[in-house]
Amino acid sequence: MYILSLAIALVSLAVHTSASFLSVLASHPELSQFNAYLSQFPRLTTTINTVDNATLLIPSNTAFTKWLQNTTPPLTPSDIENTLNYHIIHGTFPTASFTSTAQFVPSFLTNTSYSNVTEGLLVGLINIDGNPQIRSGLGTNSSIVTPDLIANGGLIHILDSVLQLPQSQSTTAAALNLSFYTAILQAGSFLSNEEINFTDAIVGLPDVTYFFPNTAGALAMFKSMSSTLTHQQRDAMLEYHVVTGFVGVSSDLTNMEVIRTVQGSNLTIFVGPDGSKYVNNVRIIATDYLINNGVLHTIDG
């Protein structure tokens, strides 16, 4: 109750304080690199100057230095500006509101060169062992080093690292070593020249939830079935694991919920007594990998 009351008080104070986002940012020397970017990107400055009910997730100078040194190929101005838009999220979220269950919030990044999520690429907020964290692409977490700076219109959290932009499902699968899923794509000829247009179309869908099989058992089952299937039947199998028009992070997957696949059939979500989740009785083994057109979960079949 105390934590909830504190969170509400911080939100109320953020709404009524007189200090603007820009003045609070300028008052912190450890944010000088971000403030320099504001001079470089006037549209970003306008967004921050006019936004209301938002949370800014601002990397420290040290975080920017590491990011710029470790990113290859070199970042373009567009890459930097759009990455910074990913650090602005809708809603005011004090760290007292973070829990062990991740909540996912749309960001201000809607540029279609980087995002195929209508409301904006998602950012995750989670408390891990008492430490508030920000989750971004490729399953990465950033720590909040200075929390809950209050400004007119919302809050600012200072981060120890720059958020990772969500990538395509193929890049994410490779980076996370989803080797059994990749082997299924190979076994089904989905990566062949003959099928690549179909596969690219599946990858390019907007607002998607993927349920990717990624176990040895799933690979063995697919191999035993696929040898007798036509290309069209194999395509339908892949489409059966894809839902569009619904970015279903794990907290949105509720018991007995029915969702429709690209293939046309329905999937039903079940939640076990221990909180484990299943899609058509197949266990969901890893959740909430943020990708540039939605979210990816892995399943046991």
Side-chain angles (χ1 to χ4, degrees):
M1 181 65 71
Y2 171 77
I3 291 176
L4 177 60
S5 299
L6 177 60
I8 294 172
L10 281 171
V11 172
S12 177
L13 187 57
V15 170
H16 294 98
T17 188
S18 59
S20 70
F21 273 126
L22 293 178
S23 63
V24 174
L25 292 168
S27 69
H28 286 266
E30 69 271 34
L31 302 181
S32 61
Q33 179 61 69
F34 183 82
N35 289 313
Y37 283 135
L38 291 179
S39 299
Q40 185 176 348
F41 303 120
R43 287 179 301 183
L44 179 65
T45 303
T46 299
T47 296
I48 292 176
N49 197 38
T50 58
V51 70
D52 188 31
N53 190 25
T55 302
L56 275 55
L57 309 168
I58 308 300
S60 67
N61 291 343
T62 302
F64 276 121
T65 298
K66 289 189 294 185
W67 181 57
L68 295 170
Q69 289 176 342
N70 296 331
T71 303
T72 54
L75 295 160
T76 66
S78 178
D79 293 335
I80 296 172
E81 182 175 14
N82 282 281
T83 298
L84 297 181
N85 276 299
Y86 185 54
H87 289 70
I88 309 172
I89 60 175
H90 294 274
T92 304
F93 296 94
T95 53
S97 70
F98 292 23
T99 70
S100 58
T101 299
Q103 55 186 318
F104 292 90
V105 184
S107 72
F108 277 54
L109 179 49
T110 57
N111 183 328
T112 55
S113 295
Y114 298 85
S115 168
N116 205 5
V117 178
T118 302
E119 293 186 352
L121 286 182
L122 295 180
V123 175
L125 314 176
I126 189 168
N127 187 302
I128 300 176
D129 298 327
N131 299 308
Q133 306 271 309
I134 308 298
R135 182 161 296 168
S136 55
L138 304 182
T140 57
N141 290 327
S142 298
S143 295
I144 297 175
V145 293
T146 304
D148 302 318
L149 300 175
I150 297 170
N152 185 19
L155 294 172
I156 300 170
H157 304 308
I158 301 179
L159 308 183
D160 71 342
S161 60
V162 176
L163 300 182
Q164 169 66 57
L165 288 186
Q167 303 295 305
S168 69
Q169 63 90 7
S170 55
T171 298
T172 301
L176 298 175
N177 194 29
L178 303 184
S179 55
F180 293 114
Y181 167 70
T182 303
I184 288 171
L185 291 182
Q186 185 66 42
S189 300
F190 294 114
L191 304 180
S192 67
N193 290 331
E194 183 178 358
E195 285 287 290
I196 196 64
N197 289 337
F198 166 78
T199 305
D200 284 347
I202 292 292
V203 170
L205 291 169
D207 301 325
V208 169
T209 304
Y210 294 108
F211 296 98
F212 283 168
N214 189 52
T215 62
L219 174 59
M221 181 183 301
F222 179 83
K223 285 183 174 180
S224 68
M225 296 174 59
S226 63
S227 60
T228 63
L229 300 179
T230 65
H231 280 304
Q232 291 77 13
Q233 289 170 324
R234 287 197 295 270
D235 290 352
M237 287 184 68
L238 183 60
E239 291 175 328
Y240 186 62
H241 292 77
V242 181
V243 177
T244 190
F246 172 63
V247 182
V249 297
S250 57
S251 57
D252 292 333
L253 302 177
T254 57
N255 194 42
M256 301 301 295
E257 181 176 13
V258 177
I259 50 181
R260 191 168 183 84
T261 69
V262 172
Q263 182 261 351
S265 299
N266 290 335
L267 302 174
T268 302
I269 303 298
F270 298 97
V271 180
D274 62 351
S276 57
K277 297 192 176 185
Y278 300 80
V279 53
N280 277 16
N281 297 314
V282 176
R283 185 169 61 93
I284 301 174
I285 54 179
T287 62
D288 299 327
Y289 294 117
L290 302 177
I291 52 178
N292 64 5
N293 61 335
V295 66
L296 181 162
H297 310 295
T298 61
I299 60 175
D300 190 18

